[in-house]
């Protein structure tokens, strides 16, 4: 652990001081020798806040947090079947910034920005500028929801919805809470793991006072992402009445062992978070080296079922274009 990197700075400062230089990152971790394996992308560049780097082990080229953010030359290899928009999301926007794929829920991309750039991200080629809601689209979005009475939940996503200011976020909450049909507002975010200070008092108080149920799905892939400091912030969030769930992606070389998955579930539970989904990788261009055969995921899953209580076993799913829900992987198919 690099303790001198742990900071109590406010989250905006931490965000603006995120590391974008590969040389700086490798220098901090004493891994200069890795320079020959990495490359400097011109698009979807390295981006990692220092508080996340502080959770990495110095001198460990295989650190599971480092591997999530370090651009690897393998990204540049084109692999058949791995494409820019694997979920065909560019075709499912009835309105800019709104995805209505599943009957009762709509997803809003409130921003294209993220605090961290994860190399496996299925949205790394997404054209955010073309899909962010414009000022005019804001009212179109509320009109769309009103005209679709089957919608009872809105998911704030991105990018990372917690990378916007409280002022902007609260404006969305105000607008959504004014729609009586909505029972639930959900945030999908990785920021609590990357910069825990983002869960500030003002935010937690606002979430606590919401008329709607608030669900926060954090995107944590490895137990090491939740240190004591992070766990405290998560527990505080839970105490504010927020339902905390986790969604992870199965990533080769990062969390693809029984030990890593059980440790993740247990650490999440210690921090007041329940496992929700374990996604197999979306087949996005540049991420093939993180993928496993479905057979591998199924074998791992059977081991998890045998080892953990049911409430600590996430649902194993694959997201497919044009399917009205996340598709459960048929664990009996390859037995
Ligand atoms: C994942 C996702 C949802 C939410 O799905 P749940 O199964 O409710 O978690 C909703 N809309 C879109 C477009 C999604 O990708
Ligand atoms: S935080 Fe989520 S959306 Fe942002 S880069 Fe990482 S995986 Fe992609």
């Amino acid at each position: 652990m690099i303790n001198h990197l742990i900071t109590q700075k406010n989250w905006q400062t931490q965000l603006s001081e995120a590391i974008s230089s590969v040389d700086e990152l490798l220098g901090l971790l004493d891994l200069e020798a890795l320079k020959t394996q990495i490359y400097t992308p011109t698009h979807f560049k390295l981006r990692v806040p220092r508080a996340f780097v502080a959770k990495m082990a110095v001198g460990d080229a295989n650190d599971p947090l480092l591997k999530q953010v370090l651009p690897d030359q393998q990204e540049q290899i084109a692999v058949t079947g791995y494409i820019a928009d694997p979920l065909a999301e560019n075709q499912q926007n009835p309105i800019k910034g709104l995805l209505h794929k599943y009957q009762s829920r709509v997803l809003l991309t409130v921003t294209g920005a993220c605090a961290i750039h994860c190399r496996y991200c299925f949205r790394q080629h997404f054209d955010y500028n073309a899909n962010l809601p414009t000022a005019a689209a804001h009212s179109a979005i509320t009109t769309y929801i009103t005209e679709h009475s089957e919608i009872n939940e809105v998911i704030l996503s991105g990018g990372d919805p917690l990378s916007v200011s409280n002022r902007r976020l609260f404006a969305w909450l105000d607008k959504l809470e004014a729609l009586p049909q909505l029972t639930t507002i959900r945030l999908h975010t990785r920021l609590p793991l990357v910069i825990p200070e983002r869960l500030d008092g003002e935010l937690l108080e606002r979430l606590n006072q919401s008329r709607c149920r608030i669900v926060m799905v954090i995107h944590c892939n490895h137990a090491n992402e939740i240190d004591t400091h992070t766990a405290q912030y998560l527990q505080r969030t839970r105490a504010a009445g927020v339902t905390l769930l986790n969604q992870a992606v199965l990533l080769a070389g990062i969390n693809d062992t029984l030990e890593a998955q059980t440790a993740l579930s247990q650490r999440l539970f210690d921090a007041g978070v329940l496992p929700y989904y374990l996604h197999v990788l979306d087949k996005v261009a540049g991420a093939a080296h993180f993928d496993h055969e479905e057979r591998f995921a199924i074998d791992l899953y059977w081991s998890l079922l045998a080892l953990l209580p049911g409430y600590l076993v996430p649902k194993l799913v694959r997201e497919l274009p044009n399917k009205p829900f996340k598709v459960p992987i048929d664990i009996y198919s390859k037995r």
Side-chain angles (χ1 to χ4, degrees):
M1 297 286 179
I2 317 173
N3 285 312
H4 67 269
L5 280 177
I6 296 176
T7 123
Q8 302 296 327
K9 288 179 180 172
N10 74 35
W11 69 270
Q12 291 94 336
T13 308
Q14 292 193 53
L15 201 57
S16 67
E17 292 176 354
I19 294 172
S20 57
S21 150
V22 168
D23 287 350
E24 184 183 0
L25 177 62
L26 295 181
L28 284 168
L29 295 169
D30 237 342
L31 287 170
E32 284 88 351
L34 274 188
K35 269 181 204 172
T36 53
Q37 289 170 42
I38 51 102
Y39 82 111
T40 304
T42 52
H43 151 92
F44 200 60
K45 295 178 179 159
L46 170 76
R47 179 170 174 79
V48 56
R50 286 159 207 274
F52 196 76
V53 178
K55 298 176 192 176
M56 298 175 187
V58 174
D60 182 4
N62 289 317
D63 182 275
L65 276 54
L66 176 65
K67 287 181 106 174
Q68 293 181 54
V69 299
L70 193 64
D72 188 300
Q73 284 177 359
Q74 295 179 86
E75 291 175 19
Q76 298 171 291
I77 304 168
V79 179
T80 311
Y82 293 79
I83 58 173
D85 182 19
L87 304 180
E89 283 195 336
N90 282 325
Q91 296 148 37
Q92 272 159 338
N93 300 41
I95 300 172
K96 261 189 194 179
L98 180 143
L99 284 171
H100 192 189
K101 210 173 147 182
Y102 305 152
Q103 179 158 300
S104 62
R105 295 85 88 205
V106 288
L107 184 148
L108 302 185
T109 50
V110 298
T111 173
C114 286
I116 186 167
H117 285 172
C118 316
R119 306 319 299 176
Y120 55 85
C121 179
F122 78 97
R123 291 215 171 108
Q124 59 182 284
H125 310 284
F126 195 71
D127 187 358
Y128 279 109
N129 290 332
N131 283 291
L132 289 180
T134 57
H138 283 208
S139 63
I141 285 172
T142 45
T143 305
Y144 181 90
I145 294 170
T146 314
E147 287 169 353
H148 291 78
S149 58
E150 71 276 20
I151 297 169
N152 58 26
E153 175 171 4
V154 170
I155 298 169
L156 302 180
S157 180
D160 196 313
L162 286 187
S163 64
V164 307
S165 66
N166 280 346
R167 188 182 53 79
R168 271 183 66 195
L169 186 68
F170 296 175
W172 276 113
L173 296 178
D174 292 343
K175 218 171 298 188
L176 296 171
E177 285 162 354
L179 304 175
Q181 75 197 78
L182 296 182
T183 59
T184 309
I185 298 172
R186 196 198 310 183
L187 294 135
H188 271 255
T189 175
R190 200 152 152 63
L191 254 154
L193 304 153
V194 177
I195 304 176
E197 286 75 14
R198 177 62 188 95
L199 300 170
D200 61 24
E202 189 185 54
L203 173 64
L204 297 188
E205 193 180 318
R206 178 64 184 80
L207 297 179
N208 181 250
Q209 282 164 9
S210 178
R211 157 192 93 67
C212 294
R213 287 191 288 266
I214 303 287
V215 179
M216 188 181 286
V217 182
I218 62 169
H219 291 203
C220 179
N221 294 312
H222 195 278
N224 292 2
E225 293 174 44
I226 305 181
D227 58 9
T228 312
H229 179 72
T230 306
Q232 281 166 356
Y233 274 92
L234 291 169
Q235 278 148 357
R236 226 175 275 172
T237 306
R238 185 154 173 255
V242 174
T243 299
L244 286 172
L245 302 172
N246 185 59
Q247 126 175 357
V249 182
L250 182 63
L251 297 165
I254 292 174
N255 62 8
D256 57 350
T257 62
L258 186 57
E259 295 69 38
Q261 286 295 327
T262 48
L264 173 59
S265 278
Q266 283 159 351
R267 191 74 61 86
L268 286 165
F269 190 55
D270 289 344
V273 187
L274 282 174
Y276 179 35
Y277 282 135
L278 176 60
H279 281 256
V280 297
L281 191 87
D282 295 316
K283 296 193 178 296
V284 66
H289 57 293
F290 289 123
D291 207 2
H292 270 302
E293 297 286 324
E294 195 168 289
R295 155 101 253 172
F296 180 96
I298 291 172
D299 285 344
L300 178 62
Y301 198 71
W302 278 98
S303 315
L304 274 180
L305 285 169
L307 211 71
L308 289 172
Y311 58 88
L312 291 188
V313 182
K315 299 173 216 296
L316 181 66
V317 293
R318 181 186 294 286
E319 193 155 340
L320 293 170
N322 311 316
K323 284 283 192 295
F325 43 77
K326 314 230 186 269
V327 181
I329 301 236
D330 179 1
I331 61 168
Y332 295 99
S333 65
K334 289 171 183 154
R335 278 247 109 188

